Amino acid sequence: MWYAIEGYDGERVLDRRLAARERHLQRLVALRDAGRLLLAGPCPAIDAEDPGPAGFSGSLVVAQFPSLEDARAWADADPYVEAGVYARVEVRPFKPVLP
């Protein structure tokens, strides 16, 4: 099943986000290479492609896992969680409809 994983950044965490980014991306690449990643990306904190020092408000990952528990365990092990980037993370089942 597909799951939407939404991480919400804390206040003033851009430096921590940048420091943990490579490890975060490695995990996403592994999901992609396994054919289990639908989409992933950050949410700019302002209405701009490159938010600069405003940073990001969080991230969205939609990926396939065997169960909700597995999706939550994967999300809990994210380097952004470990680095204190995310203030909270929500994991919900997701049903792709379009395109």
Side-chain angles (χ1 to χ4, degrees), residues 24-92:
H24 172 79
L25 290 177
Q26 288 172 355
R27 298 177 79 233
L28 294 171
V29 167
L31 283 177
R32 181 200 64 196
D33 291 351
R36 297 173 42 207
L37 183 66
L38 185 63
L39 65 87
C43 301
I46 60 172
D47 189 13
E49 183 87 15
D50 179 358
F56 300 90
S57 62
S59 302
L60 172 65
V61 174
V62 178
Q64 210 169 35
F65 293 93
S67 69
L68 179 59
E69 293 76 23
D70 289 322
R72 284 185 176 141
W74 186 90
D76 288 344
D78 193 293
Y80 284 172
V81 171
E82 178 184 308
V85 174
Y86 292 152
R88 76 178 201 280
V89 176
E90 294 183 11
V91 181
R92 299 179 288 165

